[in-house]
Amino acid sequence: MQRLLMTGAGGIVGSMLRPHLRSVAPIVRLSDLKDPGPAEAGEEIMPADLADAAAVDRAVEGCDGIIHLGGMSLENSFEVILDANIRGTYHLYDAARRFGVKRVLFASSNHVIGFHERETLLDADSPPRPDSLYGVSKGYGELLARYYYDKFGIETAIVRIGSCFPEPRNRRMLATWLSVEDMAALVERVFTVDRLGCPIIYGASANRESWWDNRKTGYLGWVPQDNADRFRHLPHLSTPETDPEDPAVRYQGGAFVPAGMPDRR
Ligand code: NAI
Ligand code: 15L
C-alpha cells in the first residue's frame, strides 16, 4: 500500500494511532474537520468535512486504504449524526468505490450492541441492539460496509471498538478497554492479511473481564496483548459499582443506555 487515508485524525484514537502508521504505508494522509497539527515526514494533511461530498472525494482520491475514524463519536442530535455519520460514511464509501480503494477499517462501536446485558457473551453474529442514535448510525455504517463489499468488492474490517483511551476511565472499561498498541496491531493485520472479507471484530484488549468473543475472526491472526487489569488498583477502578440493576451497570453500553434523547437542534 502506497497511501493510507485516516479520517478523524485529530481525535483521541487518531492522535494515538498516528505514530503507529509509519510501518503500514509510506504516505499517510490525515483528514479531519479540526487541525491534526503539522505534517511529519511521510504525512499529508487534508482537512475535509465528511458532510461535504466533494471534500471527501479530494481526501480519498489517490489513496489505497482508509482508516475511517471521523464522525460524531458520542450521542448527539439526529441532524449532527445525520451529517457526520450517515452522510459522511456514505460519502466515504462512494468515493472509495469511484477511486478504486479496496480496503477500509471502519470504526464502529460497542454501542451497536449496547442494549445486550453484560452476562451475554456476544460474537460477530449477535443481533444489533443499539443503545443510542449514535449506535444506530454505527449500525448503518456496518450495513453500508457490507453492501459495498457484496456489491463492489470493497473489503472492510468493521471494528466495534470498546473503549480506546490511554487508560480505562471507569470500572466498565476493565472489560471494554482497547489499548492503542492492540489497535495498531489490528490495523497492521487488516492491511496486510491476504483476504480480509467484511468481518465484524470486537475491538477490546485481552481483558480478564470480557463480554465479546472474536473467535470467528481468528483467521486475521489478531491476538491482543494488553489487559486492563494492570489498572485495576487505581481508586476509580477498584470501587465496586453501586447498583447492579442500574441500567448503566446492567447493560454493555454503560452510561449510553439510560441517557435521555438529545434535544432537537
Ligand atoms: P473523537 O471525537 O475524539 O474523534 C472523532 C474525530 O472526527 C474528531 O477529531 C472530529 O473533529 C472528527 N469529525 C467529527 N465530525 C466530522 C465531520 N463532519 N467531518 C470530518 N471530521 C469530523 O473520537 P475518538 O474517540 O477518537 O473515536 C474515533 C472513532 O472511533 C469514532 O468514529 C468513534 O465513533 C469510534 N469509536 C471510538 C471509541 C473510543 O473508545 N475512543 C469507542 C467506539 C467507537
Ligand atoms: C464510543 O463509541 C465512544 O466513541 C467513546 O467515546 C466511548 O464512550 C466508548 O464508546 C465507550 O463505550 O466507552
Side-chain angles (χ1 to χ4, degrees):
M1 181 164 51
Q2 187 59 23
R3 184 180 277 104
L4 173 69
L5 169 66
M6 180 163 72
T7 67
I12 295 170
V13 179
S15 312
M16 294 194 297
L17 203 52
R18 184 172 169 180
H20 296 269
L21 298 181
R22 304 277 156 70
S23 54
V24 182
I27 306 172
V28 177
R29 181 176 289 175
L30 303 168
S31 185
D32 204 309
L33 263 183
K34 67 181 185 201
D35 179 10
E40 310 234 333
E43 292 180 343
E44 302 172 342
I45 309 291
M46 194 164 296
D49 183 346
L50 289 159
D52 176 347
V56 175
D57 275 5
R58 287 191 291 276
V60 169
E61 186 171 15
C63 295
D64 313 293
I66 301 174
I67 300 174
H68 182 43
L69 304 177
M72 176 41 62
S73 63
L74 298 167
E75 185 63 313
N76 209 307
S77 68
F78 177 68
E79 286 73 16
V80 169
I81 286 175
L82 179 65
D83 275 350
N85 295 7
I86 304 288
R87 289 203 170 91
T89 308
Y90 166 69
H91 291 155
L92 186 103
Y93 271 98
D94 211 58
R97 175 183 68 82
R98 285 178 284 105
F99 293 114
V101 178
K102 291 286 175 220
R103 208 168 268 197
V104 177
L105 186 156
F106 170 57
S108 185
S109 170
N110 71 86
H111 296 290
V112 171
I113 46 80
F115 251 113
H116 285 280
E117 291 175 332
R118 291 189 185 185
E119 56 266 40
T120 310
L121 183 69
L122 303 182
D123 71 9
D125 294 321
S126 299
R129 292 180 71 176
D131 58 25
S132 48
L133 288 178
Y134 163 68
V136 171
S137 76
K138 290 293 184 178
Y140 158 86
E142 294 189 358
L143 284 179
L144 203 60
R146 186 75 219 183
Y147 167 65
Y148 274 84
Y149 175 60
D150 287 339
K151 194 132 178 168
F152 307 110
I154 299 175
E155 298 182 295
T156 295
I158 296 168
V159 185
R160 287 182 180 163
I161 301 175
S163 306
C164 189
F165 297 105
E167 294 185 2
R169 294 177 168 181
N170 53 44
R171 270 189 71 84
R172 171 179 168 273
M173 292 190 191
L174 291 175
T176 60
W177 185 63
L178 172 66
S179 72
V180 69
E181 288 78 14
D182 282 336
M183 178 67 178
L186 176 57
V187 167
E188 189 274 331
R189 293 311 300 151
V190 164
F191 289 103
T192 55
V193 74
D194 289 338
R195 269 190 55 78
L196 175 65
C198 192
I200 291 174
I201 305 148
Y202 288 89
S205 286
N207 305 323
R208 182 156 65 96
E209 287 177 34
S210 170
W211 309 331
W212 305 322
D213 180 350
N214 270 331
R215 275 178 300 175
K216 286 179 176 156
T217 51
Y219 69 93
L220 294 175
W222 178 55
V223 184
Q225 301 294 315
D226 231 321
N227 186 333
D229 252 32
R230 66 187 168 89
F231 300 102
R232 194 178 279 272
H233 63 280
L234 297 175
H236 67 291
L237 302 180
S238 52
T239 318
E241 283 169 320
T242 41
D243 175 8
E245 290 306 318
D246 177 351
V249 176
R250 179 171 170 188
Y251 296 102
Q252 298 195 3
F256 282 58
V257 171
M261 285 293 281
D263 289 337
R264 301 200 71 197
R265 195 170 51 179

